[in-house]
Amino acid sequence: MSKRTNTTGRRRVLKGAGLAGLAGLAGCIGTGDPAPSDGGTETSGNGGSDGGGSSTTSSGPAMAQSAEVWGWDVAAKSLDLIDDPYESEHGGDITITQIGRADMKDKFKSTLLSGSGAPGAAMMESVDAASWVDTGGLRDISDWLAEAGIKEEFVPGKWGPLEKDGGTYALPWDIGPVGTFYRRDVMEEHGIDPTSVETWDQYIEEGKKLPDGQYLLNLPSNDYDGLWRMMFRQLGGQPFTSNGAVNINSDKSLQVARILKRLRDSGVANDLASWSSAWFTAFGEGTTASLTAGAWIEGTLKAELGDTAGQWGAIKPPAIESGGSRATNWGGSNVTIAKQVDDETARRAWDYMAYTLGSKEHQLTMYKEYGIFPALESAYESEAFDQGSEFLDGQEAGRMFAEIAPEIAPYRYTVDTPEVTKAINTHFRDMMTGNKTPKEAIDAAATQVADRTGRDLA
């Protein structure tokens, strides 16, 4: 029986409300931002060995017969792809439970804080890692990881936010090398060639060719922080200095704020809430012609807007300035086990995690079906990244992302990253409405983070 059939029969599929919950994203699934609780740095890199086999552990307590794994959107669907192969080879019964992204984050973190109710394993976005590890509610998987011998298979920068005081609290899954995905049909109709664009300023000028009611991209007020972080990282910016001072009012941050303000004032961007039904509809109808996101977005677009297959293309994200870097990251996920989970269930969950994420074969299966870009470096050598994507009109975008991945600058995530998110969104809303200048917005955001965390300003 196929996995999808099984899902209907024995898997609970819990969905958040509407498309927003559904698409909260595979992991969005993308590169994160972490560091050991107060200043670790996430980087990307290359190298590693083959990573081809199943890498499970053989010692420890007996495994439970079953384990449940929580995930969202196409990430949950991706895990489901490896369910049947795992059960055929290792026995047991793995249940993949799909929950809306925001709901799952709230639900899982509440189990960590309360000490009860956690599944066998759950996905964890890299941006949340430092704060979740800091709860003390995650299981240290160091011994199992060492026994499996797969740590060196992953991009080294993924580990920072997953580790604290010598312990390791999750297994990396994917990263999110960024691309700008665009509607070929819309761009061609209005004489725009995205492949000729190098910088954001050039992209804005091209967007002015579009008629009223037709937007180049979206600037969602609920996600200014995501755009800011993506561009800030592209410049090599760090939200916190190495000694922990707040650094989001730096010159690089000001450059980014000014570009976002120019995008807003130029009239080429609408302001639909990201992951809303209206947001997806606009991409489906082509009234929003492009979006910049992690490589994982292709899987979500395929899943939600399948009838637009062949009408999309992808380029590297525009540079902040001419000659500047076009490599950055957005998103990235991992899979973790709560400390409260009993040993037998935890071992079953780990066995499934290592089999699924520690295998080149299985990572490529998820990449091919849903575009989940692996953090398992050995997978980059695969010819799968040289194959044209039907959704992207035959474009070999996988190789472009594989080339971007090693060039992504490090980024420092801390337990106070959520305060940065809140501050950027709050004060950039004022900036967009004209109540603050870009300089006033970043200064106010930095002061807010410093006040709420007790950190110094850089």
Side-chain angles (χ1 to χ4, degrees), residues 131-406:
S131 60
W132 287 24
V133 169
D134 196 59
T135 65
L138 297 178
R139 176 178 286 256
D140 182 359
I141 61 170
S142 299
D143 290 343
W144 288 339
L145 181 63
E147 182 183 350
I150 56 176
K151 185 170 184 177
E152 302 307 316
E153 305 290 341
F154 295 89
V155 290
K158 284 290 289 186
W159 292 107
L162 311 183
E163 298 174 335
K164 181 180 180 182
D165 299 333
T168 304
Y169 296 92
L171 188 62
W173 184 352
D174 75 306
I175 62 173
V178 168
T180 295
F181 293 79
Y182 64 92
R183 285 287 299 261
R184 292 179 184 273
D185 51 343
V186 175
M187 298 295 192
E188 288 173 2
E189 179 183 357
H190 298 288
I192 298 173
D193 177 13
T195 63
S196 68
V197 169
E198 182 197 0
T199 66
W200 277 105
D201 284 336
Q202 290 174 358
Y203 201 41
I204 291 171
E205 290 304 310
E206 290 295 305
K208 292 178 181 177
K209 297 177 180 177
L210 297 171
D212 291 345
Q214 170 67 68
Y215 296 97
L216 179 67
L217 46 75
N218 182 243
L219 276 180
S221 61
N222 62 331
D223 209 7
Y224 291 142
D225 69 291
L227 292 165
W228 169 82
R229 183 167 54 244
M230 175 193 74
M231 294 181 180
F232 191 46
R233 186 168 184 170
Q234 194 173 345
L235 283 170
Q238 292 287 357
F240 300 97
T241 64
S242 58
N243 63 2
V246 179
N247 191 43
I248 62 176
N249 56 342
S250 65
D251 289 344
K252 291 177 180 176
S253 181
L254 181 58
Q255 275 186 275
V256 173
R258 286 173 171 163
I259 287 176
L260 293 175
K261 180 61 170 166
R262 285 203 293 276
L263 280 167
R264 170 61 178 262
D265 292 347
S266 68
V268 303
N270 56 12
D271 57 358
L272 302 172
S274 57
W275 306 110
S276 65
S277 296
W279 190 77
F280 277 101
T281 297
F283 291 125
E285 294 178 343
T287 50
T288 305
S290 70
L291 78 163
T292 300
W296 38 260
I297 195 66
E298 181 183 345
T300 296
L301 294 175
K302 286 167 64 177
E304 303 296 341
L305 304 173
D307 59 350
T308 64
Q311 296 176 335
W312 292 84
I315 57 172
K316 292 181 180 180
I320 307 299
E321 53 195 3
S322 182
S325 171
R326 299 184 68 176
T328 187
N329 185 88
W330 192 328
S333 291
N334 319 279
V335 178
T336 194
I337 302 172
K339 185 184 291 184
Q340 64 191 258
V341 174
D342 66 74
D343 290 347
E344 291 77 10
T345 301
R347 185 159 182 260
R348 173 64 72 183
W350 164 258
D351 202 56
Y352 170 73
M353 289 161 54
Y355 177 88
T356 302
L357 307 183
S359 160
K360 175 180 174 180
E361 173 191 357
H362 300 143
Q363 286 270 19
L364 288 174
T365 295
M366 295 187 284
Y367 168 72
K368 292 174 183 175
E369 183 65 24
Y370 291 114
I372 308 300
F373 201 87
L376 193 73
E377 287 190 83
S378 55
Y380 301 169
E381 303 164 359
S382 169
E383 294 180 354
F385 293 97
D386 298 314
Q387 296 176 359
S389 164
E390 181 179 347
F391 189 77
L392 300 178
D393 193 32
Q395 183 180 348
E396 300 168 357
R399 183 53 58 197
M400 178 183 79
F401 290 120
E403 291 171 356
I404 289 174

